[in-house]
Amino acid sequence: MRSSEKLQNAPPAWKFWHNRRRYVVNFLMLMGTTVMYLMRANLSVAIVSMTDPETGDFAWNSKEQGLVLGSFFYGYIMTQFLGGVIAKRFPAHHVFGFAIGICALLTLVTPIFAINYVALIVIRVIEGLVLGVTFPSAMGVLAKWSPVIERSRMTMICHSGAYFGTILAMSGTGVLSDFYGWQSVFYVSGGIGVTFFVLWLLLVKESPENDPWITDEEKNFILEGTRENSNDKEKVPWIKLFTAIPVWAIVFAQFTHNWGVYTVMTQMPTFLSDTMNIQLSSNGFYSALPYVTSGILGFPSGLLADLLQKHMKTVHVRKLFTTGAFVCQFGFMLCAGFIMSPTASISFLTISMGFATIAMSGFAINFLDIAPQFSSIIFGFANTIGTIPGIVSPLLTGFIVQNKSEDEWRTVFFLTAGIYISGGILYLILGSADPLFPSTPDPPKYSEQFPEKAEKTYIFTSSEKEKQNKK
């Protein structure tokens, strides 16, 4: 059958499960990161109900609440780099799936441990230890399943789960707490985690070669697009990795992005409740708005980044998305600090978080540009540094916001704005998309690799291309 006939007979693009297994895997990765963030962010809203002066079960002050909220990151920071190494040595999809499954079980028993303040901190630290390997291992899965020409969109689909999971945590847990008690938050999110774990084990394989449902055409297409990552046994050049300036540019960008995200994720419910006087049931809805915006923009921003690479150098695309977004976030954080009102604050924080997704379409794919075969290790290292904000931000906010005044929260917003502009400048100066190692070829532009289908998304292998050219 001619390749043109195959294209005409191919199922519609929306029926991706028929001949686009990479999108099935990508969708399940989206579900996985959604569940992961649901379990890690649920406490941010539940703690408002747990410590309510009139109906809450616990009398924790602002410093103690900051310690509880930040405890997850004490464990999370310890296994980021380890997760990258593990995902390099063992099947990354197993690392990803089992981490979420174990955390789901821990989430189910959290209400039992919450009775004791120290015990709650311990179990959150353990959850952090377990989930610390998820994103590095996700990079390992993407390195096997995402062709060069689709990296941005597939990476952003995966990362969008962070926002959707936070949306569920912010909006759903407030309602659960009001009607069924704060304990229900952990029972529901843990149950969802266990369900996902079972689906992941049944449906996802290590690579296209191991997938029994994939077509030969798609398998060849993916393998050709990931050829530079084919050697899993390649020796890790540790010194060159950790002294490379482009790696540190990504590290600075990761730190900057995470500071803003973690500050909003952990503190926005408290800010709206204590300073804006918004009730818990409405609080969850408003707290989720920034993540609705971010989740919606995930795929379009990744797709746009892929399309721009047809006309621009990869490094210019990365810097445009990263530095440009950080500059915009700087401006909106300043506005949030200057104009303190429920409508204005929610609007500015929502728009700022939308630009957070756009920034990720730059630096979050940059791992795969400079060293795809070591992407899980680099990501683990960068996210180790990037987890520091998750520890420091809640504690620092707890010390700054002693009286719950607008001036105190203004200081928090201005500090975040300063970090945004600093990170944007550093990435602009230091960022690169050039491969670090000679064995890694420069990713071809989409139009160069498949000129006759530059505007299409159907599967088209190089062998079919050669046959058609002969004809």
Side-chain angles (χ1 to χ4, degrees):
M1 180 181 294
R2 294 183 178 180
S3 56
S4 59
E5 293 176 355
K6 286 188 176 183
L7 294 178
Q8 292 174 359
N9 295 331
W14 62 271
K15 292 186 177 181
F16 59 85
W17 55 88
H18 283 289
N19 65 343
R20 296 172 179 84
R21 281 291 297 171
R22 64 191 185 279
Y23 296 155
V24 174
V25 173
N26 202 200
F27 177 73
L28 288 169
M29 294 183 73
L30 167 66
M31 289 180 59
T33 51
T34 299
V35 172
M36 183 184 74
Y37 264 77
L38 170 62
M39 293 189 293
R40 63 185 278 183
N42 52 18
L43 185 60
S44 298
V45 176
I47 200 170
V48 178
S49 177
M50 295 166 70
T51 60
D52 185 274
E54 298 180 359
T55 62
D57 295 328
F58 309 100
W60 302 330
N61 58 39
S62 61
K63 294 181 181 178
E64 291 172 326
Q65 291 181 45
L67 183 59
V68 170
L69 290 173
S71 59
F72 171 89
F73 298 97
Y74 297 143
Y76 192 67
I77 193 173
M78 295 175 65
T79 52
Q80 289 294 312
F81 178 69
L82 179 62
V85 176
I86 292 174
K88 180 68 178 175
R89 295 180 179 272
F90 300 97
H93 74 301
H94 282 163
V95 179
F96 183 80
F98 276 97
I100 295 177
I102 294 171
C103 185
L105 295 177
L106 293 172
T107 301
L108 287 172
V109 300
T110 295
I112 300 175
F113 288 87
I115 297 174
N116 183 280
Y117 176 74
V118 176
L120 176 60
I121 292 177
V122 170
I123 197 169
R124 290 291 291 182
V125 170
I126 296 174
E127 288 181 3
L129 284 169
V130 173
L131 289 185
V133 305
T134 49
F135 268 122
S137 60
M139 295 302 293
V141 176
L142 284 169
K144 291 286 185 67
W145 280 93
S146 61
V148 173
I149 58 177
E150 296 180 357
R151 279 178 178 167
S152 297
R153 71 194 77 173
M154 291 185 69
T155 301
M156 288 311 301
I157 288 174
C158 174
H159 281 287
S160 293
Y163 303 112
F164 291 129
T166 307
I167 292 169
L168 291 176
M170 294 294 187
S171 58
T173 55
V175 176
L176 286 173
S177 295
D178 279 347
F179 290 96
Y180 303 103
W182 60 265
Q183 296 90 340
S184 64
V185 170
F186 301 98
Y187 295 143
V188 172
S189 55
I192 293 174
V194 171
T195 303
F196 166 79
F197 172 63
V198 174
L199 287 174
W200 179 266
L201 286 185
L202 292 175
L203 298 177
V204 178
K205 305 302 177 183
E206 180 181 4
S207 67
E209 298 101 314
N210 306 118
D211 194 308
W213 302 289
I214 194 170
T215 63
D216 291 337
E217 290 82 8
E218 183 182 15
K219 180 168 64 175
N220 293 333
F221 175 77
I222 295 173
L223 293 178
E224 181 180 356
T226 58
R227 59 191 180 280
E228 74 273 34
N229 191 53
S230 59
N231 187 6
D232 288 338
K233 305 300 181 182
E234 185 175 349
K235 186 177 180 180
V236 181
W238 298 105
I239 296 177
K240 186 170 184 178
L241 276 181
F242 297 132
T243 57
I245 291 177
V247 171
W248 281 97
I250 298 173
V251 170
F252 294 141
Q254 187 82 48
F255 180 94
T256 301
H257 171 268
N258 285 5
W259 184 282
V261 170
Y262 290 150
T263 298
V264 175
M265 181 198 305
T266 59
Q267 301 302 326
M268 190 171 177
T270 303
F271 166 68
L272 294 179
S273 177
D274 294 345
T275 307
M276 298 291 103
N277 298 316
I278 296 177
Q279 298 300 315
L280 180 59
S281 56
S282 300
N283 187 334
F285 171 76
Y286 290 123
S287 298
L289 286 178
Y291 302 95
V292 173
T293 303
S294 298
I296 291 174
L297 291 176
F299 175 72
S301 62
L303 180 60
L304 179 60
D306 281 337
L307 294 176
L308 285 178
Q309 288 185 77
K310 300 179 187 178
H311 312 289
M312 300 171 61
K313 290 184 178 180
T314 300
V315 64
H316 294 160
V317 175
R318 303 298 181 232
K319 289 184 177 182
L320 173 64
F321 277 69
T322 302
T323 300
F326 284 164
V327 170
C328 292
Q329 289 181 284
F330 162 76
F332 284 109
M333 274 294 171
L334 287 181
C335 292
F338 278 117
I339 306 175
M340 285 281 185
S341 71
T343 301
S345 297
I346 292 171
S347 298
F348 292 136
L349 292 175
T350 297
I351 297 172
S352 177
M353 285 298 293
F355 279 104
T357 300
I358 296 175
M360 290 186 67
S361 296
F363 75 86
I365 294 90
N366 207 184
F367 303 99
L368 296 170
D369 296 325
I370 61 175
Q373 68 272 60
F374 306 119
S375 58
S376 61
I377 293 176
I378 299 176
F379 186 91
F381 172 62
N383 219 28
T384 297
I385 308 300
T387 302
I388 294 176
I391 299 172
V392 176
S393 177
L395 289 176
L396 186 58
T397 302
F399 279 102
I400 294 174
V401 184
Q402 295 285 333
N403 302 309
K404 304 177 182 179
S405 68
E406 291 186 0
D407 287 338
E408 291 171 337
W409 280 106
R410 186 170 289 115
T411 300
V412 174
F413 293 145
F414 286 171
L415 174 62
T416 303
I419 291 174
Y420 274 134
I421 195 65
S422 300
I425 293 173
L426 284 172
Y427 189 83
L428 180 64
I429 296 172
L430 304 177
S432 173
D434 295 330
L436 292 176
F437 307 100
S439 60
T440 304
D442 193 12
K445 290 184 178 180
Y446 189 86
S447 57
E448 294 173 351
Q449 189 177 12
F450 302 104
E452 71 277 25
K453 61 182 288 278
E455 301 299 327
K456 296 185 179 294
T457 58
Y458 293 104
I459 301 165
F460 197 73
T461 65
S462 59
S463 60
E464 291 173 338
K465 174 185 171 183
E466 292 173 359
K467 293 178 181 178
Q468 189 177 44
N469 288 339
K470 290 180 180 179
K471 294 178 181 179

